[in-house]
Amino acid sequence: QSGSSFHVFDQGRFAKEVLPKYFKHNNMASFVRQLNMYGFRKVVHIEQGGLVKPEKDDTEFQHPYFIRGQEHLLENIKRKVTSVSSIKNEDIKVRQDNVTKLLTDIQVMKGKQESMDSKLIAMK
């Protein structure tokens, strides 16, 4: 591996055996929420398309400052703090516009998917 991410290969076992050693819970969803709060992101491989569940139980997470052999970067991994006062109205407007565009794109993709599905059925 490149050393720029880490994998959880067996979520059930990880939650049961590892999480209770370091957290007051054994809940994988809570662990993932914590990772997200610190800026870690789940790695989604293109071939999975992000929509298809992979056959093997392998979840991969990465963070720009989580790199093997670069321990000095770890201090840059901080919990994200969002105070209401720091969010400007125009930021909210931009975010709403982005969400609207995303939803529109998703609808278009759904339409194309349904069209492809019906063509596949017709071909069969």
Side-chain angles (χ1 to χ4, degrees), residues 21-59:
K21 289 182 184 175
Y22 302 97
F23 299 93
K24 294 176 187 158
H25 64 78
N26 62 353
N27 185 326
M28 188 66 190
S30 296
F31 176 65
V32 172
R33 197 163 45 250
Q34 286 287 317
L35 285 176
N36 290 336
M37 246 187 266
Y38 283 86
F40 281 82
R41 291 291 169 253
K42 185 175 172 181
V43 177
V44 177
H45 295 281
I46 299 301
E47 64 272 13
Q48 290 171 5
L51 302 172
V52 182
K53 263 255 194 236
E55 309 82 62
K56 58 185 197 303
D57 185 5
D58 172 9
T59 312

mmCIF file of all heavy atoms in Angstrom, residues 21-59:
data_model
loop_
_atom_site.group_PDB
_atom_site.id
_atom_site.type_symbol
_atom_site.label_atom_id
_atom_site.label_comp_id
_atom_site.label_asym_id
_atom_site.label_seq_id
_atom_site.Cartn_x
_atom_site.Cartn_y
_atom_site.Cartn_z
ATOM 1 N N LYS A 21 -11.548 -0.663 22.887
ATOM 2 C CA LYS A 21 -10.242 -0.396 23.523
ATOM 3 C C LYS A 21 -9.920 1.095 23.533
ATOM 4 O O LYS A 21 -9.157 1.563 24.367
ATOM 5 C CB LYS A 21 -9.123 -1.143 22.779
ATOM 6 C CG LYS A 21 -9.158 -2.639 22.976
ATOM 7 C CD LYS A 21 -7.998 -3.294 22.249
ATOM 8 C CE LYS A 21 -8.084 -4.807 22.372
ATOM 9 N NZ LYS A 21 -7.047 -5.478 21.578
ATOM 10 N N TYR A 22 -10.478 1.848 22.584
ATOM 11 C CA TYR A 22 -10.114 3.258 22.430
ATOM 12 C C TYR A 22 -11.291 4.223 22.571
ATOM 13 O O TYR A 22 -11.087 5.428 22.673
ATOM 14 C CB TYR A 22 -9.445 3.467 21.066
ATOM 15 C CG TYR A 22 -8.224 2.595 20.895
ATOM 16 C CD1 TYR A 22 -8.303 1.384 20.213
ATOM 17 C CD2 TYR A 22 -7.006 2.959 21.459
ATOM 18 C CE1 TYR A 22 -7.191 0.564 20.075
ATOM 19 C CE2 TYR A 22 -5.891 2.152 21.330
ATOM 20 C CZ TYR A 22 -5.983 0.954 20.636
ATOM 21 O OH TYR A 22 -4.881 0.144 20.517
ATOM 22 N N PHE A 23 -12.512 3.688 22.528
ATOM 23 C CA PHE A 23 -13.707 4.524 22.626
ATOM 24 C C PHE A 23 -14.668 3.930 23.643
ATOM 25 O O PHE A 23 -14.524 2.786 24.036
ATOM 26 C CB PHE A 23 -14.412 4.628 21.260
ATOM 27 C CG PHE A 23 -13.571 5.260 20.186
ATOM 28 C CD1 PHE A 23 -12.802 4.471 19.334
ATOM 29 C CD2 PHE A 23 -13.537 6.635 20.019
ATOM 30 C CE1 PHE A 23 -12.014 5.042 18.347
ATOM 31 C CE2 PHE A 23 -12.754 7.220 19.032
ATOM 32 C CZ PHE A 23 -11.992 6.419 18.193
ATOM 33 N N LYS A 24 -15.663 4.708 24.018
ATOM 34 C CA LYS A 24 -16.663 4.238 24.985
ATOM 35 C C LYS A 24 -17.802 3.511 24.264
ATOM 36 O O LYS A 24 -18.879 3.368 24.809
ATOM 37 C CB LYS A 24 -17.242 5.418 25.774
ATOM 38 C CG LYS A 24 -16.243 6.095 26.674
ATOM 39 C CD LYS A 24 -16.854 7.304 27.358
ATOM 40 C CE LYS A 24 -15.793 8.057 28.122
ATOM 41 N NZ LYS A 24 -16.183 9.447 28.349
ATOM 42 N N HIS A 25 -17.555 3.099 23.020
ATOM 43 C CA HIS A 25 -18.601 2.434 22.235
ATOM 44 C C HIS A 25 -17.973 1.399 21.317
ATOM 45 O O HIS A 25 -16.758 1.322 21.186
ATOM 46 C CB HIS A 25 -19.384 3.458 21.414
ATOM 47 C CG HIS A 25 -18.539 4.151 20.376
ATOM 48 N ND1 HIS A 25 -18.192 3.550 19.184
ATOM 49 C CD2 HIS A 25 -17.938 5.365 20.373
ATOM 50 C CE1 HIS A 25 -17.432 4.384 18.487
ATOM 51 N NE2 HIS A 25 -17.252 5.476 19.176
ATOM 52 N N ASN A 26 -18.833 0.606 20.693
ATOM 53 C CA ASN A 26 -18.359 -0.339 19.675
ATOM 54 C C ASN A 26 -19.209 -0.168 18.417
ATOM 55 O O ASN A 26 -19.591 -1.125 17.772
ATOM 56 C CB ASN A 26 -18.406 -1.781 20.199
ATOM 57 C CG ASN A 26 -19.815 -2.214 20.537
ATOM 58 O OD1 ASN A 26 -20.747 -1.414 20.510
ATOM 59 N ND2 ASN A 26 -19.988 -3.482 20.846
ATOM 60 N N ASN A 27 -19.473 1.086 18.088
ATOM 61 C CA ASN A 27 -20.361 1.427 16.982
ATOM 62 C C ASN A 27 -19.545 1.961 15.800
ATOM 63 O O ASN A 27 -18.947 3.030 15.889
ATOM 64 C CB ASN A 27 -21.361 2.475 17.483
ATOM 65 C CG ASN A 27 -22.404 2.803 16.439
ATOM 66 O OD1 ASN A 27 -22.140 2.814 15.251
ATOM 67 N ND2 ASN A 27 -23.615 3.097 16.912
ATOM 68 N N MET A 28 -19.543 1.219 14.708
ATOM 69 C CA MET A 28 -18.765 1.603 13.523
ATOM 70 C C MET A 28 -19.233 2.947 12.958
ATOM 71 O O MET A 28 -18.413 3.770 12.561
ATOM 72 C CB MET A 28 -18.878 0.496 12.461
ATOM 73 C CG MET A 28 -17.960 0.688 11.287
ATOM 74 S SD MET A 28 -16.233 0.560 11.744
ATOM 75 C CE MET A 28 -15.467 1.118 10.226
ATOM 76 N N ALA A 29 -20.544 3.173 12.945
ATOM 77 C CA ALA A 29 -21.079 4.438 12.400
ATOM 78 C C ALA A 29 -20.562 5.634 13.210
ATOM 79 O O ALA A 29 -20.225 6.673 12.647
ATOM 80 C CB ALA A 29 -22.598 4.419 12.392
ATOM 81 N N SER A 30 -20.470 5.468 14.538
ATOM 82 C CA SER A 30 -19.953 6.547 15.384
ATOM 83 C C SER A 30 -18.476 6.797 15.096
ATOM 84 O O SER A 30 -18.013 7.937 15.070
ATOM 85 C CB SER A 30 -20.120 6.198 16.864
ATOM 86 O OG SER A 30 -21.475 6.089 17.181
ATOM 87 N N PHE A 31 -17.740 5.710 14.872
ATOM 88 C CA PHE A 31 -16.318 5.828 14.541
ATOM 89 C C PHE A 31 -16.142 6.592 13.222
ATOM 90 O O PHE A 31 -15.331 7.510 13.138
ATOM 91 C CB PHE A 31 -15.691 4.430 14.448
ATOM 92 C CG PHE A 31 -14.252 4.439 14.020
ATOM 93 C CD1 PHE A 31 -13.262 5.006 14.810
ATOM 94 C CD2 PHE A 31 -13.875 3.862 12.807
ATOM 95 C CE1 PHE A 31 -11.935 5.007 14.410
ATOM 96 C CE2 PHE A 31 -12.547 3.858 12.400
ATOM 97 C CZ PHE A 31 -11.577 4.434 13.200
ATOM 98 N N VAL A 32 -16.948 6.247 12.226
ATOM 99 C CA VAL A 32 -16.862 6.922 10.924
ATOM 100 C C VAL A 32 -17.232 8.402 11.071
ATOM 101 O O VAL A 32 -16.593 9.272 10.484
ATOM 102 C CB VAL A 32 -17.762 6.215 9.876
ATOM 103 C CG1 VAL A 32 -17.843 7.024 8.583
ATOM 104 C CG2 VAL A 32 -17.242 4.815 9.598
ATOM 105 N N ARG A 33 -18.245 8.688 11.907
ATOM 106 C CA ARG A 33 -18.631 10.087 12.147
ATOM 107 C C ARG A 33 -17.466 10.863 12.768
ATOM 108 O O ARG A 33 -17.186 11.997 12.391
ATOM 109 C CB ARG A 33 -19.883 10.138 13.032
ATOM 110 C CG ARG A 33 -20.583 11.467 12.998
ATOM 111 C CD ARG A 33 -22.009 11.450 13.526
ATOM 112 N NE ARG A 33 -22.199 10.716 14.763
ATOM 113 C CZ ARG A 33 -22.856 9.566 14.870
ATOM 114 N NH1 ARG A 33 -23.404 9.021 13.814
ATOM 115 N NH2 ARG A 33 -22.979 8.970 16.033
ATOM 116 N N GLN A 34 -16.767 10.221 13.720
ATOM 117 C CA GLN A 34 -15.588 10.853 14.328
ATOM 118 C C GLN A 34 -14.512 11.113 13.272
ATOM 119 O O GLN A 34 -13.931 12.193 13.223
ATOM 120 C CB GLN A 34 -15.007 9.951 15.430
ATOM 121 C CG GLN A 34 -15.807 9.921 16.706
ATOM 122 C CD GLN A 34 -15.674 11.206 17.485
ATOM 123 O OE1 GLN A 34 -14.587 11.758 17.615
ATOM 124 N NE2 GLN A 34 -16.776 11.707 18.001
ATOM 125 N N LEU A 35 -14.258 10.106 12.432
ATOM 126 C CA LEU A 35 -13.255 10.280 11.372
ATOM 127 C C LEU A 35 -13.615 11.475 10.500
ATOM 128 O O LEU A 35 -12.760 12.306 10.181
ATOM 129 C CB LEU A 35 -13.173 9.021 10.501
ATOM 130 C CG LEU A 35 -12.471 7.806 11.081
ATOM 131 C CD1 LEU A 35 -12.588 6.633 10.119
ATOM 132 C CD2 LEU A 35 -11.009 8.094 11.374
ATOM 133 N N ASN A 36 -14.889 11.565 10.105
ATOM 134 C CA ASN A 36 -15.328 12.675 9.254
ATOM 135 C C ASN A 36 -15.148 14.022 9.941
ATOM 136 O O ASN A 36 -14.785 15.007 9.310
ATOM 137 C CB ASN A 36 -16.786 12.486 8.835
ATOM 138 C CG ASN A 36 -16.965 11.336 7.862
ATOM 139 O OD1 ASN A 36 -16.036 10.954 7.162
ATOM 140 N ND2 ASN A 36 -18.146 10.765 7.838
ATOM 141 N N MET A 37 -15.380 14.047 11.260
ATOM 142 C CA MET A 37 -15.217 15.294 12.015
ATOM 143 C C MET A 37 -13.779 15.790 11.985
ATOM 144 O O MET A 37 -13.520 16.983 12.101
ATOM 145 C CB MET A 37 -15.642 15.069 13.474
ATOM 146 C CG MET A 37 -16.866 15.842 13.861
ATOM 147 S SD MET A 37 -17.171 15.694 15.610
ATOM 148 C CE MET A 37 -18.312 14.340 15.617
ATOM 149 N N TYR A 38 -12.843 14.850 11.832
ATOM 150 C CA TYR A 38 -11.427 15.200 11.785
ATOM 151 C C TYR A 38 -10.905 15.286 10.350
ATOM 152 O O TYR A 38 -9.705 15.373 10.127
ATOM 153 C CB TYR A 38 -10.602 14.198 12.608
ATOM 154 C CG TYR A 38 -10.714 14.464 14.087
ATOM 155 C CD1 TYR A 38 -11.764 13.936 14.835
ATOM 156 C CD2 TYR A 38 -9.800 15.279 14.743
ATOM 157 C CE1 TYR A 38 -11.886 14.196 16.189
ATOM 158 C CE2 TYR A 38 -9.907 15.549 16.092
ATOM 159 C CZ TYR A 38 -10.956 15.006 16.811
ATOM 160 O OH TYR A 38 -11.075 15.278 18.155
ATOM 161 N N GLY A 39 -11.816 15.250 9.390
ATOM 162 C CA GLY A 39 -11.423 15.468 8.007
ATOM 163 C C GLY A 39 -11.024 14.222 7.232
ATOM 164 O O GLY A 39 -10.561 14.324 6.096
ATOM 165 N N PHE A 40 -11.190 13.041 7.830
ATOM 166 C CA PHE A 40 -10.925 11.810 7.089
ATOM 167 C C PHE A 40 -12.090 11.560 6.146
ATOM 168 O O PHE A 40 -13.232 11.857 6.472
ATOM 169 C CB PHE A 40 -10.788 10.606 8.033
ATOM 170 C CG PHE A 40 -9.443 10.517 8.698
ATOM 171 C CD1 PHE A 40 -9.159 11.272 9.824
ATOM 172 C CD2 PHE A 40 -8.459 9.673 8.206
ATOM 173 C CE1 PHE A 40 -7.926 11.197 10.444
ATOM 174 C CE2 PHE A 40 -7.226 9.589 8.824
ATOM 175 C CZ PHE A 40 -6.951 10.353 9.942
ATOM 176 N N ARG A 41 -11.798 11.016 4.982
ATOM 177 C CA ARG A 41 -12.835 10.713 4.010
ATOM 178 C C ARG A 41 -12.717 9.268 3.557
ATOM 179 O O ARG A 41 -11.615 8.741 3.437
ATOM 180 C CB ARG A 41 -12.726 11.631 2.783
ATOM 181 C CG ARG A 41 -13.083 13.080 3.086
ATOM 182 C CD ARG A 41 -14.568 13.232 3.381
ATOM 183 N NE ARG A 41 -14.923 14.522 3.911
ATOM 184 C CZ ARG A 41 -15.258 14.753 5.181
ATOM 185 N NH1 ARG A 41 -15.242 13.796 6.067
ATOM 186 N NH2 ARG A 41 -15.611 15.953 5.579
ATOM 187 N N LYS A 42 -13.871 8.672 3.296
ATOM 188 C CA LYS A 42 -13.898 7.307 2.784
ATOM 189 C C LYS A 42 -13.411 7.341 1.341
ATOM 190 O O LYS A 42 -13.819 8.208 0.568
ATOM 191 C CB LYS A 42 -15.327 6.770 2.871
ATOM 192 C CG LYS A 42 -15.474 5.333 2.494
ATOM 193 C CD LYS A 42 -16.914 4.887 2.737
ATOM 194 C CE LYS A 42 -17.145 3.511 2.183
ATOM 195 N NZ LYS A 42 -18.515 3.070 2.384
ATOM 196 N N VAL A 43 -12.541 6.417 0.994
ATOM 197 C CA VAL A 43 -12.031 6.346 -0.377
ATOM 198 C C VAL A 43 -13.012 5.507 -1.187
ATOM 199 O O VAL A 43 -13.313 4.375 -0.828
ATOM 200 C CB VAL A 43 -10.623 5.706 -0.410
ATOM 201 C CG1 VAL A 43 -10.124 5.570 -1.843
ATOM 202 C CG2 VAL A 43 -9.645 6.516 0.440
ATOM 203 N N VAL A 44 -13.522 6.099 -2.248
ATOM 204 C CA VAL A 44 -14.442 5.379 -3.133
ATOM 205 C C VAL A 44 -13.727 5.177 -4.458
ATOM 206 O O VAL A 44 -13.269 6.129 -5.076
ATOM 207 C CB VAL A 44 -15.753 6.168 -3.357
ATOM 208 C CG1 VAL A 44 -16.651 5.444 -4.340
ATOM 209 C CG2 VAL A 44 -16.468 6.383 -2.040
ATOM 210 N N HIS A 45 -13.572 3.921 -4.856
ATOM 211 C CA HIS A 45 -12.881 3.622 -6.105
ATOM 212 C C HIS A 45 -13.859 3.733 -7.269
ATOM 213 O O HIS A 45 -15.015 3.356 -7.160
ATOM 214 C CB HIS A 45 -12.244 2.241 -6.029
ATOM 215 C CG HIS A 45 -11.170 2.185 -4.995
ATOM 216 N ND1 HIS A 45 -9.903 2.686 -5.217
ATOM 217 C CD2 HIS A 45 -11.171 1.741 -3.711
ATOM 218 C CE1 HIS A 45 -9.177 2.541 -4.123
ATOM 219 N NE2 HIS A 45 -9.932 1.972 -3.193
ATOM 220 N N ILE A 46 -13.356 4.252 -8.371
ATOM 221 C CA ILE A 46 -14.192 4.529 -9.534
ATOM 222 C C ILE A 46 -14.927 3.274 -10.008
ATOM 223 O O ILE A 46 -16.106 3.328 -10.326
ATOM 224 C CB ILE A 46 -13.350 5.111 -10.702
ATOM 225 C CG1 ILE A 46 -12.701 6.426 -10.293
ATOM 226 C CG2 ILE A 46 -14.197 5.295 -11.955
ATOM 227 C CD1 ILE A 46 -13.641 7.530 -9.857
ATOM 228 N N GLU A 47 -14.235 2.136 -10.007
ATOM 229 C CA GLU A 47 -14.896 0.919 -10.520
ATOM 230 C C GLU A 47 -16.102 0.526 -9.675
ATOM 231 O O GLU A 47 -17.023 -0.115 -10.152
ATOM 232 C CB GLU A 47 -13.912 -0.258 -10.653
ATOM 233 C CG GLU A 47 -13.309 -0.762 -9.348
ATOM 234 C CD GLU A 47 -12.029 -0.044 -8.937
ATOM 235 O OE1 GLU A 47 -11.727 1.008 -9.524
ATOM 236 O OE2 GLU A 47 -11.350 -0.537 -8.028
ATOM 237 N N GLN A 48 -16.098 0.947 -8.398
ATOM 238 C CA GLN A 48 -17.265 0.677 -7.553
ATOM 239 C C GLN A 48 -18.376 1.673 -7.873
ATOM 240 O O GLN A 48 -19.527 1.444 -7.573
ATOM 241 C CB GLN A 48 -16.906 0.800 -6.066
ATOM 242 C CG GLN A 48 -15.999 -0.297 -5.556
ATOM 243 C CD GLN A 48 -15.505 -0.016 -4.151
ATOM 244 O OE1 GLN A 48 -15.912 0.957 -3.523
ATOM 245 N NE2 GLN A 48 -14.636 -0.851 -3.661
ATOM 246 N N GLY A 49 -17.998 2.776 -8.458
ATOM 247 C CA GLY A 49 -18.967 3.796 -8.830
ATOM 248 C C GLY A 49 -19.590 4.482 -7.629
ATOM 249 O O GLY A 49 -20.398 5.369 -7.760
ATOM 250 N N GLY A 50 -19.176 4.070 -6.447
ATOM 251 C CA GLY A 50 -19.727 4.671 -5.244
ATOM 252 C C GLY A 50 -21.152 4.244 -4.979
ATOM 253 O O GLY A 50 -21.715 4.578 -3.959
ATOM 254 N N LEU A 51 -21.754 3.514 -5.903
ATOM 255 C CA LEU A 51 -23.154 3.123 -5.753
ATOM 256 C C LEU A 51 -23.279 1.632 -5.493
ATOM 257 O O LEU A 51 -24.185 1.177 -4.831
ATOM 258 C CB LEU A 51 -23.940 3.487 -7.021
ATOM 259 C CG LEU A 51 -23.926 4.961 -7.408
ATOM 260 C CD1 LEU A 51 -24.555 5.168 -8.765
ATOM 261 C CD2 LEU A 51 -24.647 5.792 -6.364
ATOM 262 N N VAL A 52 -22.320 0.864 -6.033
ATOM 263 C CA VAL A 52 -22.365 -0.590 -5.888
ATOM 264 C C VAL A 52 -21.604 -0.977 -4.627
ATOM 265 O O VAL A 52 -20.487 -0.532 -4.415
ATOM 266 C CB VAL A 52 -21.715 -1.274 -7.117
ATOM 267 C CG1 VAL A 52 -21.795 -2.791 -7.005
ATOM 268 C CG2 VAL A 52 -22.376 -0.798 -8.398
ATOM 269 N N LYS A 53 -22.221 -1.783 -3.794
ATOM 270 C CA LYS A 53 -21.552 -2.274 -2.586
ATOM 271 C C LYS A 53 -20.446 -3.234 -3.000
ATOM 272 O O LYS A 53 -20.689 -4.168 -3.747
ATOM 273 C CB LYS A 53 -22.568 -3.020 -1.702
ATOM 274 C CG LYS A 53 -23.145 -2.153 -0.610
ATOM 275 C CD LYS A 53 -22.504 -2.551 0.681
ATOM 276 C CE LYS A 53 -23.122 -2.060 1.933
ATOM 277 N NZ LYS A 53 -22.182 -1.330 2.731
ATOM 278 N N PRO A 54 -19.198 -3.005 -2.539
ATOM 279 C CA PRO A 54 -18.140 -3.952 -2.890
ATOM 280 C C PRO A 54 -18.400 -5.314 -2.253
ATOM 281 O O PRO A 54 -18.984 -5.393 -1.181
ATOM 282 C CB PRO A 54 -16.873 -3.311 -2.303
ATOM 283 C CG PRO A 54 -17.353 -2.344 -1.278
ATOM 284 C CD PRO A 54 -18.721 -1.919 -1.686
ATOM 285 N N GLU A 55 -17.965 -6.378 -2.940
ATOM 286 C CA GLU A 55 -18.214 -7.727 -2.429
ATOM 287 C C GLU A 55 -17.453 -7.949 -1.129
ATOM 288 O O GLU A 55 -17.948 -8.521 -0.185
ATOM 289 C CB GLU A 55 -17.767 -8.805 -3.445
ATOM 290 C CG GLU A 55 -18.287 -8.631 -4.853
ATOM 291 C CD GLU A 55 -17.473 -7.644 -5.684
ATOM 292 O OE1 GLU A 55 -16.278 -7.884 -5.910
ATOM 293 O OE2 GLU A 55 -18.049 -6.620 -6.098
ATOM 294 N N LYS A 56 -16.196 -7.496 -1.086
ATOM 295 C CA LYS A 56 -15.405 -7.732 0.118
ATOM 296 C C LYS A 56 -15.613 -6.609 1.130
ATOM 297 O O LYS A 56 -15.818 -5.467 0.753
ATOM 298 C CB LYS A 56 -13.925 -7.924 -0.220
ATOM 299 C CG LYS A 56 -13.262 -6.762 -0.954
ATOM 300 C CD LYS A 56 -11.839 -7.158 -1.327
ATOM 301 C CE LYS A 56 -10.953 -5.997 -1.692
ATOM 302 N NZ LYS A 56 -11.347 -5.137 -2.751
ATOM 303 N N ASP A 57 -15.574 -6.976 2.401
ATOM 304 C CA ASP A 57 -15.766 -6.001 3.483
ATOM 305 C C ASP A 57 -14.459 -5.257 3.676
ATOM 306 O O ASP A 57 -13.615 -5.658 4.466
ATOM 307 C CB ASP A 57 -16.186 -6.750 4.762
ATOM 308 C CG ASP A 57 -16.524 -5.792 5.899
ATOM 309 O OD1 ASP A 57 -16.521 -4.570 5.678
ATOM 310 O OD2 ASP A 57 -16.787 -6.271 7.016
ATOM 311 N N ASP A 58 -14.269 -4.198 2.914
ATOM 312 C CA ASP A 58 -13.028 -3.422 2.970
ATOM 313 C C ASP A 58 -13.393 -1.957 2.853
ATOM 314 O O ASP A 58 -13.854 -1.508 1.811
ATOM 315 C CB ASP A 58 -12.108 -3.856 1.823
ATOM 316 C CG ASP A 58 -10.872 -2.966 1.687
ATOM 317 O OD1 ASP A 58 -10.629 -2.128 2.573
ATOM 318 O OD2 ASP A 58 -10.149 -3.118 0.687
ATOM 319 N N THR A 59 -13.216 -1.224 3.941
ATOM 320 C CA THR A 59 -13.493 0.201 3.923
ATOM 321 C C THR A 59 -12.171 0.926 4.084
ATOM 322 O O THR A 59 -11.393 0.612 4.980
ATOM 323 C CB THR A 59 -14.455 0.594 5.055
ATOM 324 O OG1 THR A 59 -15.553 -0.314 5.053
ATOM 325 C CG2 THR A 59 -14.989 1.991 4.864
#
